[in-house]
Amino acid sequence: MTGMNKCGMDDNIFVNEEDKLHDECGVIGVYLNSKTVEDGTAQNAPMNAATLAYYGLYSLQHRGQESAGIAVTDGSELKVHKQLGLVADVFKKDDLLSLVGHVAVGHVRYATAGGCTIENAQPMVMSFKLGSVAVAHNGQLVNYEQLREMLEETGSTFNSTSDTEVIVKLIAKSYKKGLERALTDTIQMIKGSFALCVMTDNCLIGARDPNGIRPLCLGKIDGGWVLASESCAIDAMNGEFIRDIHPGEIVIINDDGVLSFEFGEKTSKRACIFEYVYFARPDSIVDQIAVQEARLRLGAMLAKESPVPADVVIGVPDSGLGAAMGYSRASGVPYATGIVKNKYIGRTFIAPTQKERENMVFVKLNAVKSEINGKRVIVIDDSIVRGTTSRRLIQILRRAGAKEVHFRVSSPPVKYPCYFGIDTPSRAELISSAHDVVETCKEIGADSLAFLSADGMLEALRSCNPEQYGYCKGCFTGEYPVAVPGELNGKHCE
């Protein structure tokens, strides 16, 4: 992929540089049966597909806050509306009223590559002699540069630096062979992670990479079907979650229903384990595992591995709360709401210097003094990335009167970058890459520090669903499910 640029008007704007990993994006696809829409027999028929996609994107906002877009077709004309910003800012009533059609794909983006510009916003749309296609993509291609060079050599031109445009061009290049063949040819050429929602003039297609790194699921709504990154989006449309799209599966949805087929050779499942640790919403189900249940069990395993005498357990909002409750239940140490999060800090909060950007945690998080004053506190977070947030959070807790602060993390140390759709700092910026646990504890100023072991993390997830056993753990181990060109360690897990 190309550069790792952040989105912002200028250097004086705070661009939400949290001390967290960020997922690249969320995708949504909606298909309303055209016959049902015409005769008005479905409750959802009067609402077009774009309105439903809007509801879905709203529930996936946590997966990307830099741009949002929806493309829709009525079978003869394809329209798209996309802009930089949050879903509620990008779409107004008139925008949705103008997006009329029975098929829609939508996208929210957090840029891991190519920078945050309107050219890189999705869905990507292309019209050609045989029809039109719109693509929404969650993931990242490791062979983007080679594919783009090949396409440019055969006459293709590009308007963006996004790998999604490569996917659109590849589909268009083979479209005359038929949709199924075009998709199969394209998917067999791209390497890396992908959950795709593809819209043509008369159908909706979903596809998931052979390792299933990024999530995608199928739902049923009145009069149609839904594809979504997470099941919470299906709930937002008053739909019924049906199942996850399998790794290496393509589904084609039209008026006849859902056609499914597999492409390529079977590979080991390697779903991103960070979906359970941090990315997914707690009310979602990802690959047959309830996210909140996973976090409770991660916390319980952490309590088993790393107990410490204390008076209270608190969680870092929002993704640390489930693990904190699990730790509390397993350890018997009372749980309390000891940290409050300010949810109204926007992307344009001014912070001119790097130090001030790091100090944003004092504005974003605050301690509830009555819950922690004079107490030995166990604070649970899902991960430590750079360590800046953890350090300042511990300062906040001590300022509020915490007698001791014991930091516990419901995942192993993040030591390596991700190449499959997660925005990760460089390895040099990852505190656990350069420091061991004792050194990291000293750096953040805790009385003690412990991470969940890799074996403990896997055991906790297996206890949620023994049949799910394959995960990508590259950010913890440096071993990746797909060979990464130029990766320093050259590790590759089969």
Side-chain angles (χ1 to χ4, degrees), residues 241-476:
F241 170 74
I242 300 298
R243 65 174 177 87
D244 298 289
I245 302 302
H246 304 306
E249 180 185 14
I250 294 175
V251 293
I252 299 178
I253 303 172
N254 55 31
D255 280 359
D256 295 324
V258 180
L259 170 68
S260 168
F261 64 93
E262 295 182 354
F263 61 88
E265 298 179 2
K266 281 190 174 293
T267 59
S268 299
K269 183 177 180 180
R270 290 290 184 268
C272 174
I273 206 162
F274 238 95
E275 292 288 346
Y276 305 103
V277 173
Y278 172 63
F279 294 135
R281 255 177 45 168
D283 53 331
S284 287
I285 298 171
V286 177
D287 286 326
Q288 301 180 59
I289 294 177
V291 174
Q292 179 68 355
E293 179 64 21
R295 290 177 185 166
L296 289 168
R297 298 202 182 199
L298 290 168
M301 184 61 67
L302 183 60
K304 178 181 177 181
E305 290 186 348
S306 303
V308 62
D311 302 306
V312 67
V313 176
I314 63 175
V316 179
D318 291 310
S319 53
L321 300 181
M325 286 186 277
Y327 190 105
S328 172
R329 292 175 188 177
S331 66
V333 179
Y335 173 84
T337 303
I339 303 171
V340 174
K341 180 180 179 180
N342 183 342
K343 299 184 178 181
Y344 299 97
I345 295 179
R347 287 166 33 82
T348 56
F349 197 99
I350 296 173
T353 68
Q354 177 62 29
K355 182 176 171 106
E356 287 175 305
R357 284 193 287 274
E358 291 178 359
N359 285 341
M360 280 301 301
V361 70
F362 295 128
V363 180
K364 188 170 185 178
L365 300 173
N366 198 23
V368 181
K369 188 172 183 178
S370 60
E371 295 283 9
I372 63 175
N373 187 28
K375 295 179 180 179
R376 298 168 298 172
V377 178
I378 300 172
V379 56
I380 310 291
D381 205 354
D382 57 84
S383 59
I384 296 179
V385 182
R386 295 180 180 91
T388 52
T389 294
S390 305
R391 185 183 310 119
R392 282 159 178 75
L393 179 57
I394 290 169
Q395 292 173 10
I396 290 171
L397 295 172
R398 294 199 189 281
R399 188 175 63 191
K403 185 178 177 181
E404 297 174 7
V405 179
H406 301 279
F407 214 92
R408 296 292 181 268
V409 182
S410 60
S411 65
V414 177
K415 296 183 177 182
Y416 301 91
C418 174
Y419 300 91
F420 304 112
I422 296 172
D423 183 30
T424 318
S426 67
R427 190 172 176 185
E429 294 178 277
L430 297 170
I431 191 170
S432 293
S433 181
H435 300 84
D436 62 22
V437 176
V438 174
E439 292 169 336
T440 302
C441 182
K442 185 176 179 180
E443 285 285 324
I444 67 175
D447 290 287
S448 73
L449 169 66
F451 293 84
L452 183 62
S453 69
D455 287 342
M457 177 174 62
L458 291 173
E459 185 178 339
L461 291 178
R462 288 190 194 107
S463 71
C464 296
N465 186 344
E467 296 181 4
Q468 302 297 321
Y469 55 86
Y471 300 97
C472 176
K473 309 178 290 294
C475 55
F476 304 126

Side-chain angles (χ1 to χ4, degrees), residues 41 59 66 79 146 182 204 276 324 334 338 358 383 436 474 476 493:
T41 56
S59 67
E66 291 187 349
K79 295 182 179 180
Q146 298 96 308
L204 173 68
Y276 305 103
E358 291 178 359
S383 59
D436 62 22
F476 304 126
C493 62

Side-chain angles (χ1 to χ4, degrees), residues 135-202:
V135 176
H137 167 219
N138 176 22
Q140 193 166 345
L141 306 185
V142 297
N143 62 340
Y144 160 76
E145 295 287 357
Q146 298 96 308
L147 291 174
R148 177 168 175 144
E149 184 177 344
M150 178 200 74
L151 287 165
E152 287 177 332
E153 287 175 352
T154 57
S156 294
T157 58
F158 289 81
N159 298 316
S160 74
T161 54
S162 169
D163 54 358
T164 308
E165 190 173 5
V166 163
I167 297 173
V168 174
K169 302 284 188 185
L170 288 171
I171 293 173
K173 192 176 182 67
S174 301
Y175 203 81
K176 62 185 178 182
K177 300 177 183 178
L179 175 61
E180 183 176 319
R181 179 68 182 274
L183 279 168
T184 304
D185 287 353
T186 297
I187 287 170
Q188 289 178 338
M189 293 183 73
I190 59 180
K191 305 297 180 186
S193 64
F194 55 87
L196 296 173
C197 287
V198 182
M199 180 185 77
T200 68
D201 293 330
N202 53 24

